[in-house]
Amino acid sequence: MSSYLDTGGRGGIAGWIFSTDHKRIGILYLATMTGLFFVAVVIGVLMRVEQLVLDPPLFAPQVYNAFFTVHGVIMIFMFVLPGLGAVFGNFFLPIMIGARDVSFPRLNLMSWYAFVAGTVIVFVSLFTGDGAPDTGWTFYVPFSVRTGTNVTLGLTGVFMLGFSSILTGLNFITTIHRLRAPGMTWHRMPLFAWSLYGTAWVQLLATPIVGITLLLVIAERVFGIGVFDPAKGGDPILYQHLFWTYSHPAVYIMILPAMGAITEILPTFAHRTVFGYKAIAYSSMAIAFLGSLVWGHHMFTSGMSEQANLLFSLFTFLVAVPSAIKVFNWTSTLYKGSIEVRPPMLYALTFVFLFAIGGLTGLMQGALAVNVHLHDTYFIVGHFHYVMFGGTGVAFFAALLYWFPKMFGRTYNERVANLAWAPIFVGFNLLYFGMLVLGYMGMPRRYFTHLPQYHTGHVIASVGSFILAAGLVLFFANLVVALLRGKRAESNPWGGVTLEWRIGSPPPAENFDVIPEIQGRPYRFNPEVSE
Amino acid sequence: MDRTGSETHVMPYRTLVRVWLVLLGLTGALVAAGTTLHPSLSVWAMLVITPVKAGLIFYYFMHLKYEKPLLTGLVFVTLGLLVLVIGLLFSDLFYR
């Protein structure tokens, strides 16, 4: 049976961009997102260079404003938000549940087109009009309404990206409900699929809110309707409510599939079944639900009422419970396992460590009094990079290393992958732990310059960013070499037990000759032991 | 009872009329709350009464009653989430 990489009739680029095969669409997302990721990495490094060269500044303050806006918009809306769901969800969800494709393959391709269209519009906004958007990725009013830069076009691009997310979520929900193989009950579904299911609901329910909100900002800029303008009876804090009602759940859109991927990797390399299957599955749903109720913790210092502050602080602490359940289950999965630290496992363990730091620093900010001190400082920047990059980003790398042989039928150099880990880990912690310390000392975020007392911290963070960037280049170069010259991969190089490891590498065009019948739970490394 | 949703279900007129009367009563209660109570309290009345009305309409008039429990659950959880989100928003707006 020919693999999905063998062009059936339509060759070249057309064979990819007009293909409705879920695996090809997953690869399209991977290629697009990796390219965008490196653009944002370069901008991030340039920002760190700006903090090294103070007098005169390397880039004008307005350029720095555009840098952090574009860096944020690309990383958030074009990399971590589609993230593991768009790449590995598209590629592996149908295979893991024993289906030949997603429920709506054409809609799936359309969601990629919407993603590309949104990306192109955002990039056009950088080079047209009266300058690149300079609001930060949050587009807060009143500044986003008053600034003369090209915010309207930028918002239109982000609006399109939201469409892509909604369509993917809709597709995943329908696929999971309708296309599971015979015998695959909810409790026999792999946990990566569970995490995609929780994520998809958030995508479907929360993304329209931000879509409408961004349209309101456009209407405010173009027609002056006054929804967010107090002079016309509007409320600027309402914007923050509406924005974060989506954008905090969006953080869980970003992290849940990452947690799902880690939950696939750990049992495979501990060679034992996952600890607390149901607890992990339901904690995904609990995170999706509770995560939708904590948006106000971004607004503790915005002038919200005391009562709302208390409620949102409470919910913030509550959402830590299902997150901690996952961490405990991961560590319990390792306990007494036969642990093999190969590259995917190394990155997965790194995820657990970095995510724990990100999560705990998040709890610090959930406390009202501490939040007042830390708000809008580098501490926040450090915290969300620990969660989004140390969490989602590193999990993305772990998932890529885990599923690379399956996706492309090639093996990579494991020693180089391990070698790349060192600069990534060291550089990451120098950069972002440095930011945590700087923020605690009082360094505000989004400033193009800093006072002398912060300079040492900035130098450390900047050096960390250079080391990190070098590690990232090595990491991806290794995979590109493997893609071109790597040895042929076996169908199951890691000894995995979920369905994707039972088909060839790379997978056949329609995944299965015969749809499999599922007999038991997904993580049975020793089938003789009864469930 | 068939729960596949593939055939047409006929809801007895008596049930529909009763639900309609309940809806009228709830609308009256909503109007009364809006005109007599303090705005902050009338919002909470709205947040309780309106979802109940929506739930009744979903359940009886839109035949959710004949759907599988999973679909019924999903609709009501979504409705509940909406109420929670709006409720949290008002916890700010009315106590600033």
Side-chain angles (χ1 to χ4, degrees):
Chain A
M1 200 180 203
S2 63
S3 91
Y4 80 100
L5 291 173
D6 302 321
T7 52
R10 194 184 265 150
I13 293 282
W16 286 90
I17 63 173
F18 297 125
S19 171
T20 53
D21 183 340
H22 65 101
K23 298 179 288 296
R24 288 196 165 216
I25 294 171
I27 301 290
L28 285 176
Y29 272 111
L30 176 64
T32 325
M33 286 163 49
T34 307
L36 290 164
F37 172 74
F38 271 100
V39 172
V41 166
V42 169
I43 296 171
V45 171
L46 289 178
M47 281 193 283
R48 291 315 313 165
V49 174
E50 172 87 335
Q51 299 294 347
L52 285 181
V53 186
L54 289 183
D55 196 22
L58 194 61
F59 304 107
Q62 185 64 19
V63 175
Y64 189 79
N65 291 350
F67 274 174
F68 67 66
T69 303
V70 177
H71 173 83
V73 167
I74 294 177
M75 283 298 197
I76 295 286
F77 292 111
M78 300 173 200
F79 183 69
V80 285
L81 191 54
L84 284 88
V87 178
F88 306 108
N90 262 318
F91 200 104
F92 287 107
L93 175 67
I95 301 176
M96 286 177 128
I97 63 171
R100 291 207 161 94
D101 208 317
V102 291
S103 275
F104 309 116
R106 288 183 190 172
L107 201 63
N108 201 17
L109 182 62
M110 188 177 148
S111 70
W112 181 74
Y113 281 126
F115 176 75
V116 173
T119 303
V120 169
I121 294 171
V122 168
F123 274 85
V124 169
S125 80
L126 305 182
F127 304 106
T128 55
D130 296 320
D134 58 349
T135 58
W137 74 275
T138 49
F139 298 106
Y140 267 18
V141 298
F143 184 67
S144 61
V145 173
R146 290 178 189 164
T147 178
T149 56
N150 209 0
V151 168
T152 303
L153 199 59
L155 286 170
T156 310
V158 175
F159 181 79
M160 284 298 293
L161 292 168
F163 256 104
S164 166
S165 188
I166 293 170
L167 296 181
T168 302
L170 180 71
N171 226 332
F172 284 1
I173 291 173
T174 319
T175 304
I176 290 171
H177 274 274
R178 306 297 297 174
L179 296 184
R180 278 174 287 135
M184 179 161 285
T185 57
W186 285 90
H187 289 149
R188 288 178 178 176
M189 202 163 68
L191 287 159
F192 183 57
W194 265 105
S195 73
L196 291 172
Y197 183 66
T199 307
W201 275 109
V202 182
Q203 286 174 298
L204 196 66
L205 294 176
T207 315
I209 301 175
V210 82
I212 296 295
T213 310
L214 299 182
L215 284 185
L216 283 174
V217 176
I218 293 173
E220 188 103 3
R221 284 176 65 85
V222 178
F223 304 113
I225 57 172
V227 175
F228 304 124
D229 183 357
K232 296 176 182 169
D235 181 359
I237 301 208
L238 181 64
Y239 173 83
Q240 296 187 24
H241 273 297
L242 293 174
F243 180 82
W244 288 114
T245 301
Y246 161 77
S247 295
H248 196 80
V251 172
Y252 296 99
I253 296 177
M254 302 168 203
I255 197 73
L256 270 174
M259 292 169 157
I262 296 303
T263 312
E264 296 298 324
I265 295 169
L266 293 182
T268 300
F269 291 94
H271 300 288
R272 56 155 298 189
T273 189
V274 70
F275 182 89
Y277 173 92
K278 285 186 184 174
I280 293 183
Y282 293 137
S283 66
S284 287
M285 300 309 288
I287 288 174
F289 181 76
L290 282 170
S292 300
L293 305 176
V294 302
W295 75 85
H297 68 210
H298 295 268
M299 303 162 54
F300 286 153
T301 61
S302 297
M304 227 173 26
S305 74
E306 291 280 307
Q307 175 159 350
N309 280 350
L310 284 172
L311 275 171
F312 283 116
S313 179
L314 173 70
F315 279 121
T316 303
F317 281 100
L318 284 182
V319 81
V321 175
S323 306
I325 286 174
K326 283 190 186 293
V327 176
F328 286 129
N329 278 294
W330 291 328
T331 43
S332 303
T333 299
L334 298 175
Y335 181 62
K336 289 191 176 174
S338 176
I339 298 171
E340 197 181 3
V341 186
R342 293 175 76 178
M345 183 65 157
L346 181 63
Y347 284 78
L349 293 172
T350 308
F351 163 90
V352 177
F353 176 73
L354 298 177
F355 175 74
I357 295 177
L360 291 170
T361 49
L363 281 182
M364 287 171 71
Q365 295 157 67
L368 292 173
V370 182
N371 186 278
V372 174
H373 176 69
L374 297 176
H375 186 84
D376 256 348
T377 66
Y378 263 43
F379 193 89
I380 309 295
V381 185
H383 154 73
F384 73 65
H385 278 90
Y386 264 98
V387 180
M388 291 292 97
F389 191 2
T392 308
V394 171
F396 189 93
F397 301 157
L400 192 54
L401 292 171
Y402 182 55
W403 280 313
F404 186 92
K406 177 59 61 183
M407 294 168 86
F408 299 103
R410 303 271 177 186
T411 53
Y412 52 84
N413 187 325
E414 291 192 32
R415 287 182 67 185
V416 177
N418 285 335
L419 196 67
W421 171 87
I424 290 176
F425 183 77
V426 173
F428 181 97
N429 283 296
L430 276 177
L431 172 57
Y432 298 118
F433 206 85
M435 284 190 176
L436 289 176
V437 175
L438 276 169
Y440 201 80
M441 289 164 66
M443 174 69 208
R445 68 192 287 198
R446 293 179 171 163
Y447 279 33
F448 77 101
T449 187
H450 54 260
L451 295 172
Q453 65 261 38
Y454 301 123
H455 194 63
T456 308
H458 274 291
V459 171
I460 293 171
S462 292
V463 170
S465 77
F466 305 148
I467 298 173
L468 173 61
L472 292 173
V473 170
L474 184 60
F475 179 90
F476 279 98
N478 184 33
L479 295 184
V480 171
V481 170
L483 204 57
L484 300 174
R485 295 206 302 264
K487 289 181 192 159
R488 291 276 170 200
E490 304 164 26
S491 60
N492 190 3
W494 315 120
V497 289
T498 38
L499 278 181
E500 77 270 29
W501 302 112
R502 297 192 205 164
I503 58 176
S505 299
E510 292 204 333
N511 305 341
F512 303 98
D513 271 340
V514 179
I515 296 293
E517 190 144 338
I518 310 303
Q519 305 292 346
R521 290 205 171 161
Y523 303 102
R524 293 188 307 164
F525 286 85
N526 187 359
E528 290 77 37
V529 178
S530 63
E531 286 181 33
Chain B
M1 185 182 288
D2 175 44
R3 286 181 171 275
T4 60
S6 57
E7 62 179 63
T8 310
H9 304 283
V10 179
M11 185 77 74
Y13 278 118
R14 184 182 292 174
T15 310
L16 290 176
V17 170
R18 280 179 184 165
V19 175
W20 179 60
L21 288 174
V22 172
L23 287 170
L24 280 181
L26 288 172
T27 307
L30 203 56
V31 173
T35 49
T36 57
L37 296 177
H38 185 270
S40 59
L41 285 176
S42 72
V43 163
W44 297 113
M46 182 200 79
L47 278 173
V48 173
I49 296 172
T50 310
V52 172
K53 287 177 68 183
L56 287 171
I57 292 166
F58 286 149
Y59 200 69
Y60 291 102
F61 287 93
M62 298 179 77
H63 289 203
L64 206 58
K65 183 178 177 175
Y66 300 107
E67 290 296 339
K68 288 180 183 172
L70 180 66
L71 184 67
T72 316
L74 288 177
V75 170
F76 282 108
V77 166
T78 307
L79 188 63
L81 186 66
L82 184 68
V83 172
L84 261 174
V85 167
I86 296 175
L88 280 171
L89 198 60
F90 279 110
S91 76
D92 175 29
L93 293 183
F94 277 101
Y95 297 94
R96 262 191 228 160

Short mmCIF file of all heavy atoms in Angstrom, two decimals, chain A residues 378-410:
data_model
loop_
_atom_site.label_atom_id
_atom_site.label_comp_id
_atom_site.label_asym_id
_atom_site.label_seq_id
_atom_site.Cartn_x
_atom_site.Cartn_y
_atom_site.Cartn_z
N TYR A 378 8.44 42.27 33.89
CA TYR A 378 9.06 41.14 33.20
C TYR A 378 8.69 39.80 33.84
O TYR A 378 8.86 38.76 33.22
CB TYR A 378 10.59 41.31 33.23
CG TYR A 378 11.15 41.94 31.96
CD1 TYR A 378 10.52 43.02 31.37
CD2 TYR A 378 12.31 41.45 31.37
CE1 TYR A 378 11.03 43.60 30.22
CE2 TYR A 378 12.82 42.02 30.21
CZ TYR A 378 12.17 43.10 29.64
OH TYR A 378 12.68 43.66 28.49
N PHE A 379 8.22 39.84 35.08
CA PHE A 379 7.82 38.59 35.73
C PHE A 379 6.72 37.91 34.91
O PHE A 379 6.72 36.69 34.72
CB PHE A 379 7.32 38.88 37.15
CG PHE A 379 7.16 37.64 38.01
CD1 PHE A 379 8.22 37.18 38.77
CD2 PHE A 379 5.97 36.93 38.03
CE1 PHE A 379 8.10 36.04 39.55
CE2 PHE A 379 5.84 35.79 38.80
CZ PHE A 379 6.91 35.35 39.57
N ILE A 380 5.79 38.74 34.42
CA ILE A 380 4.69 38.20 33.61
C ILE A 380 5.25 37.60 32.32
O ILE A 380 4.86 36.50 31.91
CB ILE A 380 3.68 39.33 33.25
CG1 ILE A 380 3.26 40.10 34.49
CG2 ILE A 380 2.49 38.78 32.49
CD1 ILE A 380 2.50 39.30 35.49
N VAL A 381 6.18 38.33 31.71
CA VAL A 381 6.77 37.85 30.46
C VAL A 381 7.49 36.53 30.71
O VAL A 381 7.35 35.56 29.94
CB VAL A 381 7.75 38.90 29.88
CG1 VAL A 381 8.27 38.46 28.53
CG2 VAL A 381 7.07 40.26 29.76
N GLY A 382 8.26 36.47 31.81
CA GLY A 382 8.96 35.22 32.15
C GLY A 382 7.97 34.10 32.39
O GLY A 382 8.13 32.99 31.86
N HIS A 383 6.92 34.39 33.16
CA HIS A 383 5.92 33.36 33.49
C HIS A 383 5.29 32.78 32.23
O HIS A 383 5.25 31.57 32.04
CB HIS A 383 4.83 33.95 34.39
CG HIS A 383 3.52 33.25 34.28
ND1 HIS A 383 3.30 32.00 34.81
CD2 HIS A 383 2.36 33.61 33.68
CE1 HIS A 383 2.06 31.62 34.55
NE2 HIS A 383 1.48 32.57 33.86
N PHE A 384 4.79 33.65 31.34
CA PHE A 384 4.07 33.04 30.22
C PHE A 384 4.99 32.41 29.21
O PHE A 384 4.59 31.50 28.48
CB PHE A 384 3.00 33.97 29.61
CG PHE A 384 3.47 35.13 28.78
CD1 PHE A 384 4.13 34.94 27.58
CD2 PHE A 384 3.18 36.42 29.19
CE1 PHE A 384 4.52 36.01 26.81
CE2 PHE A 384 3.57 37.50 28.42
CZ PHE A 384 4.24 37.30 27.24
N HIS A 385 6.27 32.81 29.19
CA HIS A 385 7.19 32.06 28.34
C HIS A 385 7.50 30.69 28.93
O HIS A 385 7.71 29.73 28.19
CB HIS A 385 8.47 32.86 28.08
CG HIS A 385 8.30 33.88 26.99
ND1 HIS A 385 7.88 35.17 27.24
CD2 HIS A 385 8.46 33.80 25.64
CE1 HIS A 385 7.80 35.84 26.09
NE2 HIS A 385 8.15 35.04 25.11
N TYR A 386 7.54 30.60 30.26
CA TYR A 386 7.71 29.27 30.86
C TYR A 386 6.54 28.36 30.50
O TYR A 386 6.72 27.17 30.22
CB TYR A 386 7.82 29.37 32.39
CG TYR A 386 9.27 29.38 32.85
CD1 TYR A 386 9.92 30.57 33.14
CD2 TYR A 386 9.99 28.20 32.99
CE1 TYR A 386 11.25 30.59 33.54
CE2 TYR A 386 11.31 28.19 33.39
CZ TYR A 386 11.94 29.40 33.67
OH TYR A 386 13.26 29.40 34.05
N VAL A 387 5.32 28.92 30.50
CA VAL A 387 4.16 28.08 30.18
C VAL A 387 4.04 27.84 28.68
O VAL A 387 3.87 26.71 28.23
CB VAL A 387 2.86 28.74 30.70
CG1 VAL A 387 1.66 27.86 30.39
CG2 VAL A 387 2.94 28.98 32.19
N MET A 388 4.16 28.91 27.90
CA MET A 388 3.89 28.80 26.48
C MET A 388 5.06 28.23 25.68
O MET A 388 4.88 27.47 24.74
CB MET A 388 3.51 30.17 25.90
CG MET A 388 2.18 30.69 26.36
SD MET A 388 0.82 29.71 25.71
CE MET A 388 0.48 28.61 27.06
N PHE A 389 6.27 28.60 26.06
CA PHE A 389 7.43 28.10 25.34
C PHE A 389 7.98 26.86 26.05
O PHE A 389 8.13 25.78 25.44
CB PHE A 389 8.48 29.20 25.22
CG PHE A 389 9.62 28.89 24.28
CD1 PHE A 389 9.66 27.71 23.56
CD2 PHE A 389 10.66 29.80 24.09
CE1 PHE A 389 10.70 27.43 22.70
CE2 PHE A 389 11.70 29.52 23.24
CZ PHE A 389 11.73 28.34 22.54
N GLY A 390 8.24 27.00 27.35
CA GLY A 390 8.70 25.84 28.12
C GLY A 390 7.66 24.74 28.13
O GLY A 390 7.98 23.55 28.16
N GLY A 391 6.39 25.14 28.11
CA GLY A 391 5.30 24.16 28.06
C GLY A 391 4.99 23.75 26.64
O GLY A 391 5.49 22.75 26.12
N THR A 392 4.19 24.59 25.97
CA THR A 392 3.74 24.21 24.62
C THR A 392 4.89 24.03 23.64
O THR A 392 4.92 23.06 22.88
CB THR A 392 2.76 25.28 24.10
OG1 THR A 392 1.75 25.47 25.08
CG2 THR A 392 2.13 24.85 22.79
N GLY A 393 5.85 24.97 23.64
CA GLY A 393 6.94 24.91 22.68
C GLY A 393 7.77 23.64 22.85
O GLY A 393 8.01 22.90 21.88
N VAL A 394 8.20 23.37 24.08
CA VAL A 394 9.04 22.18 24.31
C VAL A 394 8.23 20.90 24.07
O VAL A 394 8.76 19.91 23.54
CB VAL A 394 9.66 22.23 25.73
CG1 VAL A 394 10.35 20.93 26.06
CG2 VAL A 394 10.66 23.39 25.82
N ALA A 395 6.95 20.92 24.43
CA ALA A 395 6.10 19.75 24.14
C ALA A 395 5.98 19.56 22.63
O ALA A 395 5.92 18.43 22.14
CB ALA A 395 4.73 19.93 24.77
N PHE A 396 5.93 20.66 21.89
CA PHE A 396 5.90 20.58 20.42
C PHE A 396 7.16 19.88 19.92
O PHE A 396 7.09 18.99 19.07
CB PHE A 396 5.80 22.00 19.85
CG PHE A 396 5.55 22.07 18.38
CD1 PHE A 396 4.26 22.16 17.89
CD2 PHE A 396 6.60 22.05 17.47
CE1 PHE A 396 4.02 22.22 16.52
CE2 PHE A 396 6.36 22.11 16.11
CZ PHE A 396 5.07 22.21 15.63
N PHE A 397 8.31 20.26 20.50
CA PHE A 397 9.57 19.62 20.09
C PHE A 397 9.55 18.14 20.46
O PHE A 397 9.99 17.29 19.67
CB PHE A 397 10.78 20.30 20.76
CG PHE A 397 10.91 21.77 20.44
CD1 PHE A 397 11.61 22.62 21.29
CD2 PHE A 397 10.33 22.31 19.30
CE1 PHE A 397 11.73 23.97 21.01
CE2 PHE A 397 10.44 23.66 19.02
CZ PHE A 397 11.14 24.49 19.88
N ALA A 398 9.06 17.85 21.67
CA ALA A 398 9.02 16.45 22.12
C ALA A 398 8.12 15.63 21.18
O ALA A 398 8.48 14.52 20.76
CB ALA A 398 8.50 16.38 23.56
N ALA A 399 6.96 16.22 20.84
CA ALA A 399 6.02 15.51 19.97
C ALA A 399 6.61 15.32 18.59
O ALA A 399 6.44 14.27 17.95
CB ALA A 399 4.71 16.29 19.89
N LEU A 400 7.34 16.33 18.12
CA LEU A 400 7.95 16.24 16.80
C LEU A 400 8.99 15.11 16.79
O LEU A 400 9.06 14.31 15.85
CB LEU A 400 8.59 17.59 16.45
CG LEU A 400 9.04 17.81 15.01
CD1 LEU A 400 7.92 17.56 14.03
CD2 LEU A 400 9.56 19.23 14.82
N LEU A 401 9.79 15.04 17.86
CA LEU A 401 10.80 13.98 17.93
C LEU A 401 10.14 12.61 18.05
O LEU A 401 10.62 11.61 17.50
CB LEU A 401 11.73 14.22 19.14
CG LEU A 401 12.64 15.44 19.03
CD1 LEU A 401 13.33 15.69 20.37
CD2 LEU A 401 13.68 15.25 17.93
N TYR A 402 9.02 12.55 18.77
CA TYR A 402 8.33 11.29 18.99
C TYR A 402 7.69 10.77 17.70
O TYR A 402 7.82 9.60 17.35
CB TYR A 402 7.26 11.53 20.06
CG TYR A 402 6.45 10.31 20.47
CD1 TYR A 402 7.07 9.14 20.92
CD2 TYR A 402 5.06 10.33 20.43
CE1 TYR A 402 6.32 8.05 21.32
CE2 TYR A 402 4.31 9.25 20.83
CZ TYR A 402 4.95 8.10 21.27
OH TYR A 402 4.20 7.03 21.67
N TRP A 403 7.00 11.66 17.00
CA TRP A 403 6.22 11.22 15.84
C TRP A 403 6.94 11.43 14.50
O TRP A 403 6.42 11.02 13.47
CB TRP A 403 4.86 11.94 15.83
CG TRP A 403 3.87 11.33 16.78
CD1 TRP A 403 3.58 10.00 16.91
CD2 TRP A 403 3.02 12.01 17.71
NE1 TRP A 403 2.61 9.82 17.86
CE2 TRP A 403 2.24 11.03 18.37
CE3 TRP A 403 2.83 13.35 18.06
CZ2 TRP A 403 1.30 11.35 19.35
CZ3 TRP A 403 1.88 13.67 19.03
CH2 TRP A 403 1.14 12.68 19.67
N PHE A 404 8.12 12.07 14.53
CA PHE A 404 8.84 12.33 13.27
C PHE A 404 9.04 11.06 12.43
O PHE A 404 8.73 11.05 11.23
CB PHE A 404 10.18 13.01 13.58
CG PHE A 404 10.94 13.44 12.36
CD1 PHE A 404 10.80 14.73 11.85
CD2 PHE A 404 11.83 12.58 11.72
CE1 PHE A 404 11.50 15.13 10.73
CE2 PHE A 404 12.53 12.98 10.60
CZ PHE A 404 12.37 14.26 10.10
N PRO A 405 9.54 9.96 13.05
CA PRO A 405 9.76 8.74 12.23
C PRO A 405 8.45 8.24 11.62
O PRO A 405 8.45 7.71 10.51
CB PRO A 405 10.31 7.73 13.24
CG PRO A 405 10.81 8.54 14.38
CD PRO A 405 9.95 9.76 14.44
N LYS A 406 7.35 8.42 12.33
CA LYS A 406 6.06 7.97 11.80
C LYS A 406 5.59 8.88 10.67
O LYS A 406 5.12 8.42 9.63
CB LYS A 406 5.04 7.94 12.95
CG LYS A 406 3.63 7.57 12.58
CD LYS A 406 3.53 6.21 11.94
CE LYS A 406 4.01 5.11 12.87
NZ LYS A 406 3.98 3.79 12.21
N MET A 407 5.76 10.18 10.86
CA MET A 407 5.23 11.13 9.89
C MET A 407 5.99 11.08 8.56
O MET A 407 5.40 11.16 7.49
CB MET A 407 5.31 12.57 10.44
CG MET A 407 4.41 12.80 11.64
SD MET A 407 4.76 14.35 12.47
CE MET A 407 3.76 15.49 11.54
N PHE A 408 7.32 10.95 8.66
CA PHE A 408 8.12 11.05 7.44
C PHE A 408 8.80 9.75 7.04
O PHE A 408 9.44 9.68 6.00
CB PHE A 408 9.18 12.15 7.62
CG PHE A 408 8.57 13.50 7.88
CD1 PHE A 408 8.55 14.04 9.15
CD2 PHE A 408 7.99 14.21 6.84
CE1 PHE A 408 7.97 15.28 9.39
CE2 PHE A 408 7.40 15.44 7.08
CZ PHE A 408 7.40 15.98 8.35
N GLY A 409 8.71 8.74 7.90
CA GLY A 409 9.36 7.47 7.59
C GLY A 409 10.87 7.54 7.62
O GLY A 409 11.55 6.74 6.99
N ARG A 410 11.40 8.53 8.33
CA ARG A 410 12.86 8.70 8.42
C ARG A 410 13.26 8.81 9.89
O ARG A 410 12.49 9.31 10.71
CB ARG A 410 13.30 9.99 7.73
CG ARG A 410 12.90 10.09 6.28
CD ARG A 410 13.95 9.48 5.40
NE ARG A 410 13.57 9.50 4.00
CZ ARG A 410 14.27 8.92 3.05
NH1 ARG A 410 15.40 8.31 3.35
NH2 ARG A 410 13.89 8.95 1.80
#
